[in-house]
């Protein structure tokens, strides 16, 4: 085993070839391709009739009211869902971290919402929340004599409800990650602090939370990235409606590309979407590196 | 004495209250999926009746309808088969390719190895919607729309960064001495990798594969755009139970149950590794 065996040297790079071919052909090549189409007025329905129009698509996108509102919707959705998931997630993780019977079963059941097919999740909630046939409004009126609102049909309500469905689906992920973190912590500092008469809130805030910091930050990053990717649940729940009140950027890209068939314009929007997500997540990663020196 | 009793009593009551709260949260977590399974076992009449029917004789008529010709989705079996093909092939490809790359990252000193690792990880950050349009154009360019390849290639790509990152972690945990002693005994590096390293990481490998399967099985957006008739997967058609045929709750919930069940069964089999997998190895 010589260190500078040329065969071994070749092997260690050869092992990357399949991964690199697939990743480059599904990320860098499409990005270059869409950068080129974004400079044209190409429409997939009229493939022979196009010309370069410079940055027109980008200036149009920046002025487009629908793009602006889907951008705001995306930010509201990501910020709303992820922050609620963390507040609830931490509380529920603490709740489950007591000595409890059946904790293995509970942990297994908590996998349900995030493992269920998202399209099925969207359709189920759409049914449960339906004004006329939905079980939620039925029991609201049968038990409490409240006329339930049209959850997914009202402008002001649709976005909060869509966010709550995401919260329903992904809070268990936060709970289970933090629970795993909590259970790997040693009891010693907590015991010492409780000997000294610290309150449970002080112990949580000053001892438990700092130890969980790195897990919290990583799980937060994963949730932010995945929330930006959301498409299927919102698609099946509201399809962006009513109006464009729950239309996320991902749904907007789909609509412009495959309903209006404005391929060039959709490519420009895709690029703006990519830049926004990369800016936000890379800032977050930089922050994360600063906070958790390794 | 009374004070201590009171304290114990209060702590006991407080704990029971927290137990009740826990069960209520659990109920909210499982109700929609549970209701889906229950409804799929009702007659189509019971499925849409209000007040909701809680006690009923289970029937499989919705499932039979899904697979019998003449129903709204006469080829649901075919759709499930498409889902199986696409998700299994893409999972196998991403595990094989990813394992090779991860092994190289873990064991060899590479020029710019860290940059490569970070680049591979960063591909997971890209929102798929941003590549949807160009991938669609490339696939039509190569005349691959409505073929298995059109779905398998992007799914493999989406899973690869996750697989490389996960498996690199598993390989890093295995001491190098193990394979070096095997190589001194005459094994080639590749056979040491297959015979010694892979069996050691088998549980982690299984969990990683199942998360890949789950992703490909559940994926909707690319399937919607890149399939027409031949390779339509189950999630795409589930949506059409509402938009095209009016609402058929019995059959829709049966279809949803069939889509969700395989993932759940697999997830339960590897439940101890699920969280490690879903957090890309950062939670042990």
């Amino acid at each position: 085993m010589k260190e500078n065996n040329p065969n071994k040297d070749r092997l260690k790079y050869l092992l990357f070839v399949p991964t690199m071919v697939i990743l480059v052909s599904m990320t860098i090549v499409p990005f270059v391709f869409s950068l080129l189409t974004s400079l044209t007025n190409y429409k997939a329905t009229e493939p022979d009739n196009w010309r370069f129009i410079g940055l027109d698509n980008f200036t149009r996108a920046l002025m487009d009211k629908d793009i602006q509102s889907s951008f705001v919707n995306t930010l509201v959705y990501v910020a709303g869902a992820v922050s609620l998931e963390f507040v609830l997630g931490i509380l529920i993780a603490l709740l489950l971290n007591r000595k409890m019977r059946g904790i293995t079963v509970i942990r297994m059941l908590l996998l349900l919402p995030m493992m269920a097919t998202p399209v099925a999740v969207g359709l189920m909630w759409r049914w449960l929340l339906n004004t006329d046939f939905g079980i939620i409004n039925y029991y609201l009126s049968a038990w409490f004599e409240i006329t339930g609102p049209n959850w997914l049909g009202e402008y002001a309500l649709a976005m909060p409800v869509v966010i709550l469905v995401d919260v329903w689906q992904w809070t268990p992920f936060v709970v289970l990650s933090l629970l795993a973190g909590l259970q790997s912590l040693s009891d010693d500092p907590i015991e010492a602090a409780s000997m000294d008469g610290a309150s449970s809130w002080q112990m949580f805030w000053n001892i438990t939370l700092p130890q969980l910091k790195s897990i919290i930050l990583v799980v937060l990053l994963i949730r932010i990235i995945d929330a930006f990717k959301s498409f299927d649940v919102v698609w099946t729940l509201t399809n962006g409606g009513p109006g464009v009140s729950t239309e996320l950027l991902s749904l907007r890209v789909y609509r412009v590309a495959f309903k209006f068939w404005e391929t060039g314009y959709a490519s420009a929007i895709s690029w703006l979407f990519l830049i926004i997500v990369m800016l936000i997540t890379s800032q977050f990663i930089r922050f994360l590196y600063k906070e958790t020196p390794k | 004495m009374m004070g201590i009793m009171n304290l114990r009593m209060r702590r006991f009551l407080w704990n029971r209250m927290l137990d009740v709260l826990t069960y209520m949260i659990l109920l909210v977590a499982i109700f929609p999926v549970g209701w889906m399974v229950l409804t799929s076992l009702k007659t189509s009449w019971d499925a849409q009746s209000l007040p909701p029917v809680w006690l009923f004789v289970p029937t499989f008529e919705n499932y039979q309808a899904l697979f019998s010709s003449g129903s709204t989705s006469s080829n649901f079996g075919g759709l499930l088969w498409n889902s199986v093909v696409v998700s299994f092939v893409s999972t196998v490809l991403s595990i094989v390719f990813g394992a090779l790359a991860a092994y190289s990252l873990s064991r060899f000193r590479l020029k710019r190895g860290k940059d490569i690792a970070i680049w591979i990880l960063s591909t997971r950050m890209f929102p798929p919607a941003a590549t949807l349009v160009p991938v669609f154009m490339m696939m039509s360019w190569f005349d691959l729309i409505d073929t298995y390849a059109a779905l398998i290639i992007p799914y493999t790509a989406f899973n690869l960064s996750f697989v490389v990152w996960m498996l690199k972690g598993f390989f890093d945990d295995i001491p190098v001495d193990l394979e070096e002693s095997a190589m001194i005994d005459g094994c080639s590096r590749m056979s040491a990798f297959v015979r010694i390293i892979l069996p050691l990481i088998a549980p982690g490998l299984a969990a990683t594969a199942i998360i890949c399967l789950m992703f490909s099985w559940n994926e909707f957006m690319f399937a919607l755009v890149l399939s027409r008739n031949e390779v339509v997967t189950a999630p795409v058609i589930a949506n059409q139970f509402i938009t095209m045929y009016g609402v058929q709750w019995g059959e829709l919930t049966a279809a949803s149950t069939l889509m969700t069940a395989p993932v759940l069964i697999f997830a339960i089999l590897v439940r101890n590794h699920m969280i490690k997998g879903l957090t890309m190895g950062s939670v042990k």
Side-chain angles (χ1 to χ4, degrees):
Chain A
M1 287 214 305
K2 283 178 229 156
E3 258 311 306
N4 288 325
N5 181 340
N7 278 332
K8 189 183 145 192
D9 242 40
R10 210 176 306 146
L11 173 70
K12 68 186 185 187
Y13 291 104
L14 268 178
L15 292 175
F16 278 102
V17 171
T19 296
M20 285 301 172
V21 168
I22 299 258
L23 280 184
V24 169
S25 68
M26 283 294 112
T27 56
I28 293 180
V29 175
F31 290 150
V32 172
F33 199 59
S34 73
L35 190 60
L36 292 178
T37 31
S38 72
L39 303 174
T40 69
N41 62 354
Y42 182 81
K43 292 185 98 165
T45 41
E46 304 162 34
D48 300 319
N49 187 16
W50 61 272
R51 60 191 168 79
F52 278 101
I53 54 168
L55 293 174
D56 284 7
N57 282 327
F58 288 93
T59 48
R60 180 180 160 200
L62 293 175
M63 308 298 285
D64 189 330
K65 283 276 184 297
D66 288 335
I67 304 285
Q68 287 164 4
S69 87
S70 64
F71 172 65
V72 173
N73 285 343
T74 307
L75 289 187
V76 168
Y77 180 84
V78 173
V82 175
S83 52
L84 258 178
E85 281 155 20
F86 267 80
V87 172
L88 286 174
I90 292 174
L91 290 177
I92 298 174
L94 288 173
L95 192 63
L96 294 180
N97 195 34
R98 300 169 306 135
K99 288 186 181 66
M100 265 188 87
R101 247 181 285 160
I103 187 72
T104 8
V105 179
I106 294 176
R107 279 212 298 229
M108 212 152 75
L109 290 175
L110 278 181
L111 284 172
L112 264 173
M114 58 174 144
M115 299 289 123
T117 306
V119 171
V121 166
L123 292 173
M124 279 313 292
W125 276 107
R126 181 162 151 182
W127 183 29
L128 296 173
L129 293 164
N130 186 291
T131 328
D132 303 320
F133 316 107
I135 180 168
I136 291 177
N137 276 4
Y138 173 78
Y139 281 120
L140 276 182
S141 78
W143 290 348
F144 307 106
E145 296 183 357
I146 298 171
T147 310
N150 185 357
W151 299 101
L152 295 168
E154 279 170 31
Y155 280 85
L157 259 181
M159 182 53 100
V161 171
V162 168
I163 288 174
L164 281 179
V165 172
D166 193 86
V167 169
W168 172 82
Q169 200 183 7
W170 288 106
T171 302
F173 170 65
V174 181
V175 171
L176 292 172
S177 312
L178 295 184
L179 192 57
L182 279 171
Q183 295 185 334
S184 69
L185 298 183
S186 127
D187 285 339
D188 300 349
I190 292 282
E191 270 169 25
S194 77
M195 293 282 199
D196 294 343
S199 72
S200 13
W201 172 250
Q202 283 173 324
M203 290 192 286
F204 170 71
W205 193 254
N206 295 319
I207 301 171
T208 313
L209 211 54
Q211 284 179 287
L212 287 178
K213 195 171 179 183
S214 62
I215 290 182
I216 291 177
L217 288 176
V218 172
V219 175
L220 195 59
L221 176 66
I222 292 175
R223 276 310 302 143
I224 291 174
I225 290 175
D226 285 348
F228 272 114
K229 293 181 180 176
S230 295
F231 180 85
D232 27 25
V233 173
V234 184
W235 169 282
T236 40
L237 267 179
T238 62
N239 203 354
V244 288
S245 58
T246 58
E247 192 167 70
L248 306 181
L249 267 171
S250 53
L251 277 95
R252 190 72 211 167
V253 169
Y254 175 87
R255 180 156 301 172
V256 172
F258 302 105
K259 288 281 175 275
F260 311 148
W261 292 102
E262 297 200 55
T263 319
Y265 188 38
S267 303
I269 303 170
S270 302
W271 259 92
L272 291 174
F273 188 20
L274 185 72
I275 292 168
I276 291 163
V277 172
M278 294 311 272
L279 274 179
I280 292 175
T281 45
S282 65
Q283 284 307 308
F284 191 84
I285 289 172
R286 185 173 296 174
F287 170 75
L288 204 152
Y289 261 97
K290 235 185 273 168
E291 292 293 306
T292 52
K294 275 181 184 164
Chain B
M1 202 54 201
M2 275 306 284
I4 292 172
M5 276 300 287
N6 264 337
L7 197 68
R8 272 198 193 151
M9 196 68 179
R10 265 168 57 188
R11 183 166 292 173
F12 176 82
L13 284 177
W14 174 241
N15 265 316
R16 294 297 79 75
M17 265 166 61
L18 291 183
D19 285 349
V20 170
L21 185 63
T22 308
Y23 295 127
M24 278 163 60
I25 290 168
L26 212 57
L27 188 70
V28 173
I30 62 177
F31 179 75
V33 181
W35 190 245
M36 171 178 94
V37 178
L38 276 183
T39 308
S40 75
L41 297 168
K42 293 176 186 174
T43 60
S44 49
W45 179 258
D46 280 353
Q48 30 221 340
S49 68
L50 279 179
V53 182
W54 286 93
L55 289 172
F56 57 93
V57 183
T59 160
F60 286 97
E61 68 177 46
N62 294 315
Y63 292 89
Q64 280 163 353
L66 276 183
F67 292 100
S68 67
S69 56
S71 84
T72 48
S73 61
S74 53
N75 53 353
F76 195 72
L79 301 175
L80 282 178
W81 174 246
N82 288 338
S83 289
V84 169
V85 171
V86 169
S87 46
F88 272 82
V89 175
S90 65
T91 299
V92 169
L93 287 179
S94 44
I95 291 284
V96 172
F97 295 168
L100 297 177
Y103 185 76
S104 182
L105 276 177
S106 168
R107 285 298 189 262
F108 301 120
R109 207 173 297 141
L110 298 160
K111 269 179 219 153
R112 307 177 65 85
K114 204 177 172 199
D115 293 338
I116 298 175
I118 287 176
W119 182 74
I120 289 177
L121 184 65
S122 73
T123 60
R124 195 182 180 277
M125 287 165 29
F126 301 144
T131 57
L132 186 65
V133 180
V135 167
F136 170 78
M137 290 175 72
M138 286 161 61
M139 292 298 175
S140 11
W141 189 287
F142 292 111
D143 219 7
L144 287 173
I145 299 287
D146 209 21
T147 64
Y148 284 134
L151 295 182
I152 289 169
I153 297 169
Y155 291 180
T156 307
F158 295 146
N159 280 329
L160 259 174
S161 70
F162 163 71
V163 172
V164 170
W165 204 253
M166 284 299 290
L167 296 188
K168 180 183 176 297
F170 291 130
F171 291 144
D172 287 345
D173 288 344
I174 294 174
V176 190
D177 311 356
L178 271 177
E179 61 215 279
E180 289 191 338
S181 59
M183 283 161 70
I184 290 166
D185 292 346
C187 269
S188 74
R189 186 169 272 277
M190 272 294 118
S191 77
F193 172 65
V194 173
R195 286 200 206 147
I196 294 169
I197 308 298
L198 284 187
L200 279 175
I201 64 157
L205 198 66
T208 308
I210 280 166
I211 293 174
C212 291
L213 264 180
M214 184 180 91
F215 168 81
S216 313
W217 180 268
N218 286 343
E219 207 283 335
F220 173 66
M221 187 173 64
F222 275 77
L224 184 70
V225 168
L226 298 175
S227 66
R228 292 280 175 279
N229 309 300
E230 299 299 322
V231 302
V232 176
T233 56
V236 175
I237 223 67
N239 195 38
Q240 300 187 357
F241 279 88
I242 290 188
T243 51
M244 279 175 65
Y245 311 110
V247 193
Q248 311 222 355
W249 289 112
E251 286 181 35
L252 175 63
T253 50
S256 301
T257 306
L258 283 176
M259 279 191 291
T260 302
V263 173
L264 280 179
I265 292 166
F266 279 136
I268 286 168
L269 288 177
V270 294
R271 61 186 174 277
N272 294 328
H273 293 274
M274 281 315 277
I275 286 305
K276 183 174 183 183
L278 289 168
T279 55
M280 300 191 86
S282 51
V283 174
K284 304 272 175 196

